[in-house]
Amino acid sequence: MATLHERLSSIKGPHFSATQMIKDLIECLSVTLSSSSLRRNTHTLCTAISRSRDLCESINSLISASFNEDGWTSFDAYTAMIDPLEEFLLELTGLSENSCISSLSGELSILEWIEAGALWAKNRKTTTATLTSLFEAAHFKSAAAEVDLKDLPLFRQHDDIAFLDELTRESSSRYIAQKSQFSPRSRTHLEATLPKLNAIQSKLRLGDKYDMTEYSVKFMLIFIGVVEVTAKTSDKEAQQHLGSPEVLSKVHEYACTPKTSRSSQHPVQFLGASRIALGQ
């Protein structure tokens, strides 16, 4: 029986040097997807590889046809497909990188945690739009697809929930590890906030009518960031401000009333802090 890697990276039909880079990138991403260490974006990545493989086979068929049948018509068709597919696959390699939580572990500025959430949201939106274009763009539409485009939102939802699972576990474990650094009043607010994070996640699992994914990821990163910065920073002003009951009560309030309109509000506004007090 063929492995997942073999099924995804197996490109049927003739092979040409013009698609060698595409083939190599598909091979690389298939290896990554098959790795037991990859926990994020697995469904999105599988869909992207599958569609890219279909397109690579279509390009190779058009190259073959340009030699034997309709010349310039096939040439124009396959040349319009190669560059955008290569660019997408190169960008896609970022999906297989380590979680942004790992890269932020030593970061002692809360603004870095805030900006990480914004970058995640931007990358998520761009990747989804580009992957959709591999099905819908005029120069890709003629290629048969093994995966149905209408299933893409379900795959995206699965990957988002998997990431939120990771963030929820991190929120709890980081707080437990650092709770001694907080006053009793501050611990009360933090411990009241943790169940709210789980409640937000449960709503997403049940298909909340609002798309609260972006809000939830950004908020959980802020929660982890507040705990980490407060516990580890040498900046006493930032530590006292972020770890104060006043700020943590705002964090709790924000978790209790997640509304779509809040997703556009910059977190610094509800943290109520200057750039200095945020550890910047």
Side-chain angles (χ1 to χ4, degrees), residues 146-163:
E146 183 178 300
V147 178
D148 196 320
L149 178 60
K150 71 175 183 291
D151 292 328
L152 183 56
L154 296 176
F155 298 151
R156 179 73 271 172
Q157 182 185 39
H158 173 278
D159 290 342
D160 288 340
I161 289 174
F163 185 37

Side-chain angles (χ1 to χ4, degrees), residues 131-199:
L131 180 52
T132 301
S133 75
L134 295 188
F135 291 86
E136 295 188 330
H139 44 275
F140 291 137
K141 269 190 172 182
S142 61
E146 183 178 300
V147 178
D148 196 320
L149 178 60
K150 71 175 183 291
D151 292 328
L152 183 56
L154 296 176
F155 298 151
R156 179 73 271 172
Q157 182 185 39
H158 173 278
D159 290 342
D160 288 340
I161 289 174
F163 185 37
L164 285 167
D165 281 342
E166 181 185 359
L167 289 175
T168 303
R169 289 192 300 271
E170 284 288 331
S171 298
S172 180
S173 64
R174 297 291 180 100
Y175 169 66
I176 291 171
Q178 309 293 352
K179 64 185 297 184
S180 63
Q181 303 296 317
F182 295 89
S183 69
R185 281 185 63 202
S186 294
R187 287 201 295 270
T188 298
H189 291 301
L190 288 168
E191 288 168 10
T193 303
L194 285 170
K196 300 300 179 181
L197 302 182
N198 290 314

Side-chain angles (χ1 to χ4, degrees), residues 7 10 37 47 56 59 69 78 92 119 122 128 136 139 161 187-188 196 210 233 266 272 277 280:
R7 291 199 303 273
S10 176
S37 63
T47 304
C56 187
I59 292 169
E69 299 168 20
Y78 79 72
L92 195 62
L119 179 61
K122 178 184 176 182
T128 302
E136 295 188 330
H139 44 275
I161 289 174
R187 287 201 295 270
T188 298
K196 300 300 179 181
Y210 298 113
T233 186
H266 196 282
Q280 182 67 13

Side-chain angles (χ1 to χ4, degrees), residues 221-256:
L221 283 171
I222 290 169
F223 181 91
I224 298 170
V226 166
V227 170
E228 287 290 288
V229 175
T230 302
K232 297 179 179 179
T233 186
S234 59
D235 184 331
K236 294 301 182 183
E237 183 180 357
Q239 186 178 58
Q240 291 172 4
H241 179 81
L242 288 174
S244 68
E246 291 74 22
V247 167
L248 296 178
S249 67
K250 289 290 185 181
V251 172
H252 178 250
E253 178 186 337
Y254 205 74
C256 289

